[in-house]
Amino acid sequence: IQSYVNDEDDVFYLISYLNKEFSADAEAIGHKFPLRVDISEIFYACKSGVLLCKLVNKSHPETIDERVIALNPTNEEVLENFNLCIDSCKSIGCTIPKDLDLDRLLIGAACEHLLQILWTLIRSILVKKINIYACPDLRKLALESDSGDELVTMSPELLIIRWVNYHLKTATHLKIKKFDDDFSTLDVFSHLLEKIHELPCPYMKLFDPNERIDAFIQSFSETFTNSCVFINANGLLHRNPKMVFAFLANLFSLGTGLEGGEVKEEEENYEGLHSKATDAEREAEVLKLWLNSLGIEPPIVDVVTDLGDGLFLLKVFDKLNPGSVDWSQVATKTPVPKFKRLQNANYAFQLAKVMKISTMIGISGVDLESGNQKMTLAFVWLIMRYHIQLMLMAISSSDIAITDTEVLAWA
């Protein structure tokens, strides 16, 4: 393996997760578990591509048909496994490094890219339940200053920060702003465990920070035997944000402490979300897979929030009809400022009308920019329908659009 100066803290939490989740699959993966905390261990465990494919399926079950994963692969089959993993990552919205070179990766010369792929997959697993559809009790975190859809469109990271601060309200001296705050005192972690799980915190009496953190980790491991710890003293003292987020996201999965109690009047708008979650999530997942199949970078992670600046949809229009977008009218530098986001979104709707994709009344760029789920999904569905019509016209060698009636008659 090429000499690679890695962040040992990042290697630690990645290997902690892999050891906890995949030790039972050691034979299929083709590497001995548990892994040592070393970058070379990650490379050798992943070099067949089998572990990465399994991680994709853990993130989004049945994305890859495990029958097509080559076990004990030849060199050619290793490349096929990696291509299968990378294509699947893109389809589920996981970001792949733009300058990824598979040839270099396979000989251990691009380990930083391997770490990035592992983190984006593990993060997608950790955040699956951190949204208001999967956890309606999150509506208790609503603030008076929130707009109606604030919690719906909020990122998992921001939801975790708000969740932590919700429980810290009784500890007036504690409040977190970001994940690279100083968590090494364990004040935040111990308060959460005491408040949510009613666990004693005898380790807080220890003066030495390393001893205190080690005692905390031992206590956590003994209490939650089937859970990954993610943290170590070195990472907390170095304020590693990914390590802290991974621990807190995992702690969220062990119990939110939000169950029961009265729902405030301003939160009642969220009551019906859980019953609608299945259909909305299913539709969003289908649309995300279609959008990511177009090969546009960066891939979509969340259909509603990631399309708000209009930029991705304008790239879609340009791909479906090359030259249709006047890029001089588009704000392309990311992150796109709020007023430019609305400008891009409005331009996308103008093009949709010109291309006769959408004749929807009462929908505009404001709906896209503000993250209106219903309107966004409806608009994207029309674009997907337009794409299918283009493909059918190409197959039929006709310049006349295929109607829904003709498609149903053929089916």
Side-chain angles (χ1 to χ4, degrees), residues 174-411:
L174 291 176
K175 187 175 183 179
I176 69 169
K177 294 182 179 179
K178 47 190 178 178
F179 297 109
D180 58 1
D181 289 349
D182 184 8
F183 288 86
S184 64
T185 62
L186 299 181
D187 288 339
V188 172
F189 295 163
S190 61
H191 185 86
L192 292 174
L193 288 173
E194 191 172 24
K195 189 170 187 298
I196 299 172
H197 299 283
E198 300 181 350
L199 295 177
C201 307
Y203 43 79
M204 295 301 290
K205 297 178 181 179
L206 298 173
F207 178 76
D208 182 84
N210 285 284
E211 291 181 5
R212 184 170 59 246
I213 294 171
D214 289 341
F216 168 78
I217 291 172
Q218 181 178 351
S219 174
F220 184 90
S221 300
E222 291 173 352
T223 304
F224 304 102
T225 55
N226 294 321
S227 182
C228 182
V229 179
F230 284 111
I231 58 173
N232 64 4
N234 203 49
L236 290 183
L237 292 170
H238 288 163
R239 301 191 180 192
N240 185 297
K242 290 181 181 176
M243 177 180 284
V244 170
F245 172 72
F247 177 80
L248 289 173
N250 185 52
L251 190 59
F252 180 92
S253 72
L254 297 173
T256 65
L258 300 174
E259 301 84 357
E262 293 184 3
V263 179
K264 295 180 182 179
E265 186 175 336
E266 64 267 23
E267 295 168 352
E268 291 178 353
N269 290 333
Y270 297 99
E271 281 291 351
L273 286 174
H274 187 57
S275 61
K276 300 175 183 177
T278 303
D279 290 342
E281 287 180 336
R282 186 181 296 114
E283 182 180 359
E285 189 67 21
V286 169
L287 294 174
K288 182 178 77 172
L289 291 172
W290 168 70
L291 288 168
N292 287 331
S293 73
L294 299 175
I296 298 171
E297 297 289 345
I300 293 296
V301 177
D302 184 284
V303 173
V304 177
T305 58
D306 291 354
L307 298 181
D309 61 9
L311 191 55
F312 192 95
L313 287 182
L314 290 170
K315 292 179 181 179
V316 171
F317 290 150
D318 199 49
K319 189 174 186 70
L320 299 183
N321 282 301
S324 60
V325 179
D326 180 357
W327 290 105
S328 66
Q329 297 185 41
V330 181
T332 57
K333 186 177 180 179
T334 56
V336 181
K338 185 174 178 62
F339 73 97
K340 292 287 187 181
R341 286 166 58 91
L342 185 56
Q343 178 181 306
N344 284 355
N346 281 329
Y347 184 39
F349 276 91
Q350 290 173 18
L351 285 178
K353 291 180 180 178
V354 171
M355 297 162 65
K356 298 182 180 179
I357 294 175
S358 171
T359 56
M360 294 175 65
I361 299 174
I363 181 172
S364 67
V366 175
D367 297 300
L368 193 64
E369 194 278 328
S370 64
N372 184 310
Q373 184 192 49
K374 181 179 179 180
M375 295 301 190
T376 299
L377 295 182
F379 186 52
V380 176
W381 183 87
L382 288 172
I383 302 172
M384 183 176 72
R385 175 178 175 272
Y386 174 75
H387 183 212
I388 293 171
Q389 286 181 324
L390 290 179
M391 290 191 293
L392 292 175
M393 287 168 62
I395 293 172
S396 65
S397 301
S398 172
D399 293 331
I400 303 174
I402 306 296
T403 66
D404 293 347
T405 304
E406 289 175 308
V407 173
L408 290 172
W410 170 82

